[in-house]
């Protein structure tokens, strides 16, 4: 087939199915089916159409396509930040989305329930097909819960979940992680073990606290409630202040467990500033940061399968988007101990 060279000199904005159909001397519907690799289109016709589309650098109009498929091929993701293990979660989600030709729209909540709702509203306005959410609204926050329950799209929760909801979730076995740390410390001969937690309404912290407390039931040592503390501030500052309180006691603990990565870093900061105390305390915590091996204070950690958490969440949400029906997914990923 001879095609005038002038027909190839076209503005990219003018390249559409109708223009390709004109060059290929076929109908618009045939072009559409050929580009979707429809087996009903003859191979030579399909080859000719794809050759023309490639030469013209044709890019499908996703907005128009979504009107037909009712999908934007876009996934919404809301995380509290992009620090620490959030990168691994994102990488896991992106890995699955890339294989399935899905884009990701990312929102950052900064751990604020109201900003979280704002980010979710923006994603809904962008017509995402589904949402993966690191939920910070809390188990008892009625406003956040009502907002989530009114979203008609598929939602998968990561790292923390809502026990009395129907949302799929992928989290770590947090109780098991705490038990692992207590077993480790008891085997090392520790009898007085402190635990610093966060005053927040999340299943993650509650399960880590429960796992720690229940670990002493079958142990030859007793639980010391006075060593289980939290401060009103959050993150590193919480870890720093609580370490000061614990080590200022008349009979301080010989080991401390930080219930989050930021809390553990707060403990490290205190011990670095008070080197005489660092030799008297064994430190353990959750989350294994890349730089933690380079700290002056050795930290034995419970590591989470954060990359796998992201992958599993993405696999579930894409199945939901594609209309697959299955029971609520409640996935608890095993944790591991990394001794230092």
């Amino acid at each position: 087939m001879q095609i005038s060279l002038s027909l190839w000199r076209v503005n990219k904005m003018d390249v559409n199915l109708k223009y390709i159909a004109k060059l290929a001397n076929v109908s618009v519907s045939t072009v559409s089916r050929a580009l979707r690799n429809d087996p009903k289109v003859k191979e030579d016709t399909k080859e000719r159409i794809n050759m023309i589309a490639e030469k013209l650098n044709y890019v499908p109009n996703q907005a128009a396509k979504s009107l037909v498929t009712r999908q934007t091929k876009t996934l919404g993701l809301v995380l509290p930040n992009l620090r620490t293990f959030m990168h691994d979660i994102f990488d896991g989600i992106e890995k699955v989305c890339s294989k399935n030709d899905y884009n990701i729209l990312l929102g950052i909540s900064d751990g604020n329930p109201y900003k979280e709702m704002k980010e979710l509203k923006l994603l809904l306005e962008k017509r995402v097909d589904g949402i993966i959410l690191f939920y910070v609204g809390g188990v008892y926050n009625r406003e956040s819960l009502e907002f989530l329950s009114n979203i008609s799209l598929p939602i998968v929760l990561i790292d923390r979940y809502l026990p009395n909801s129907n949302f799929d979730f992928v989290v770590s076995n947090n109780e098991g992680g705490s038990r692992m740390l207590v077993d480790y410390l008891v085997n090392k001969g520790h009898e007085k073990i402190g635990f610093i937690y966060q005053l927040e309404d999340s299943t993650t912290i509650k399960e880590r606290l429960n796992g720690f407390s229940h670990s002493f039931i079958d142990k030859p040592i007793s639980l010391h409630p006075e060593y289980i503390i939290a401060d009103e501030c959050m993150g590193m500052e919480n870890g720093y202040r609580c370490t000061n309180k614990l080590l200022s006691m008349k009979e301080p603990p010989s080991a401390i467990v930080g219930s989050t990565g930021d809390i553990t870093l707060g403990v490290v900061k205190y011990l670095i500033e008070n080197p005489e105390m660092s030799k008297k305390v064994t430190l353990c915590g959750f989350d294994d940061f890349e730089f933690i091996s380079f700290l002056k204070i050795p930290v034995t950690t419970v590591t989470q399968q954060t990359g796998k958490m992201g992958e599993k969440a993405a696999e579930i949400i894409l199945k939901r988007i594609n209309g697959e029906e299955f029971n609520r997914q409640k996935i608890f990923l095993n944790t591991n101990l990394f001794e230092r």
Side-chain angles (χ1 to χ4, degrees):
M1 179 180 67
Q2 297 294 319
I3 301 175
S4 171
L5 289 175
S6 63
L7 291 175
W8 295 101
R9 301 190 187 101
V10 60
N11 190 307
K12 287 184 179 180
M13 297 296 292
D14 296 329
V15 177
N16 52 29
L17 295 183
K18 187 176 181 180
Y19 191 82
I20 295 173
K22 180 180 179 181
L23 292 178
N25 196 28
V26 296
S27 67
V28 173
S29 61
T30 299
V31 173
S32 178
R33 291 199 304 272
L35 294 177
R36 296 200 309 270
N37 199 27
D38 190 327
K40 293 180 181 179
V41 180
K42 293 180 180 179
E43 285 302 319
D44 60 334
T45 303
K46 195 184 299 182
E47 185 177 336
R48 186 169 77 255
I49 290 171
N50 278 288
M51 181 272 291
I52 294 171
E54 185 176 345
K55 279 185 174 291
L56 292 174
N57 293 319
Y58 169 70
V59 177
N61 185 328
Q62 191 60 49
K65 189 176 179 181
S66 67
L67 291 175
V68 178
T69 63
R70 295 187 180 276
Q71 290 186 354
T72 60
K73 300 292 283 186
T74 304
L75 192 66
L77 171 63
V78 181
L79 299 173
N81 54 64
L82 282 177
R83 301 193 308 271
T84 62
F85 65 88
M86 299 299 169
H87 283 291
D88 295 330
I89 291 177
F90 181 86
D91 287 346
I93 294 170
E94 197 280 331
K95 180 180 178 181
V96 174
C97 285
S98 179
K99 287 181 180 177
N100 291 274
D101 297 323
Y102 253 81
N103 297 309
I104 301 172
L105 277 182
L106 174 65
I108 301 296
S109 69
D110 291 324
N112 184 316
Y114 295 102
K115 189 175 182 193
E116 178 177 75
M117 285 190 283
K118 180 181 177 182
E119 295 296 332
L120 288 170
K121 288 177 183 177
L122 289 173
L123 292 176
L124 293 174
E125 289 174 5
K126 296 294 183 181
R127 298 290 190 267
V128 296
D129 297 332
I131 296 171
I132 296 177
L133 174 64
F134 188 114
Y135 178 64
V136 300
V139 177
Y140 302 108
N141 186 327
R142 181 173 295 179
E143 187 175 356
S144 290
L145 293 174
E146 287 182 357
F147 181 83
L148 276 186
S149 65
N150 288 327
I151 296 177
S152 58
L153 298 178
I155 295 176
V156 176
L157 305 179
I158 50 174
D159 189 75
R160 50 189 65 185
Y161 62 99
L162 293 168
N164 300 318
S165 76
N166 293 319
F167 296 121
D168 299 310
F169 64 81
V170 186
V171 300
S172 295
N173 180 358
N174 290 297
E175 287 200 22
S178 285
R179 291 177 184 274
M180 202 180 296
L181 287 175
V182 172
D183 288 346
Y184 167 78
L185 291 170
V186 171
N187 289 335
K188 289 291 183 180
H190 292 280
E191 297 183 359
K192 298 176 181 178
I193 305 172
F195 185 87
I196 304 175
Y197 66 99
Q198 199 101 291
L199 291 174
E200 65 177 37
D201 178 20
S202 80
T203 52
T204 299
I205 298 301
K206 289 178 180 178
E207 289 178 351
R208 290 176 183 177
L209 179 56
N210 287 339
F212 177 83
S213 302
H214 295 160
S215 295
F216 292 87
I217 294 175
D218 59 353
K219 297 291 185 296
I221 63 172
S222 300
L223 172 69
H224 293 266
E226 68 273 19
Y227 293 153
I228 302 176
I229 64 173
D231 194 89
E232 291 183 357
C233 57
M234 304 291 278
M236 286 183 62
E237 187 65 22
N238 182 15
Y240 187 93
R241 291 187 185 183
C242 288
T243 303
N244 181 49
K245 291 177 183 177
L246 287 171
L247 298 184
S248 297
M249 292 180 176
K250 188 175 181 180
E251 294 185 14
S254 61
I256 295 175
V257 174
S259 64
T260 71
D262 286 342
I263 286 176
T264 303
L265 290 178
V267 180
V268 169
K269 184 174 184 290
Y270 181 89
L271 294 177
I272 289 176
E273 292 179 4
N274 299 272
E276 73 283 357
M277 303 302 298
S278 64
K279 299 176 182 178
K280 302 177 182 179
V281 179
T282 297
L283 176 58
C284 295
F286 281 80
D287 306 330
D288 198 58
F289 310 141
E290 289 182 2
F291 60 83
I292 210 162
S293 295
F294 301 100
L295 296 175
K296 294 180 180 180
I297 308 297
V299 184
T300 292
T301 55
V302 165
T303 62
Q304 304 182 77
Q305 300 183 68
T306 45
K308 188 174 182 180
M309 185 183 294
E311 289 182 33
K312 286 288 185 184
E315 289 169 358
I316 293 170
I317 197 77
L318 292 182
K319 287 180 180 178
R320 292 289 189 198
I321 289 170
N322 290 325
E324 293 188 35
E325 295 185 6
F326 44 85
N327 293 332
R328 180 192 184 197
Q329 297 295 287
K330 298 180 283 187
I331 299 178
F332 293 88
L333 299 175
N334 289 330
T335 53
N336 297 296
L337 189 74
F338 194 102
E339 182 179 5
R340 292 184 178 85

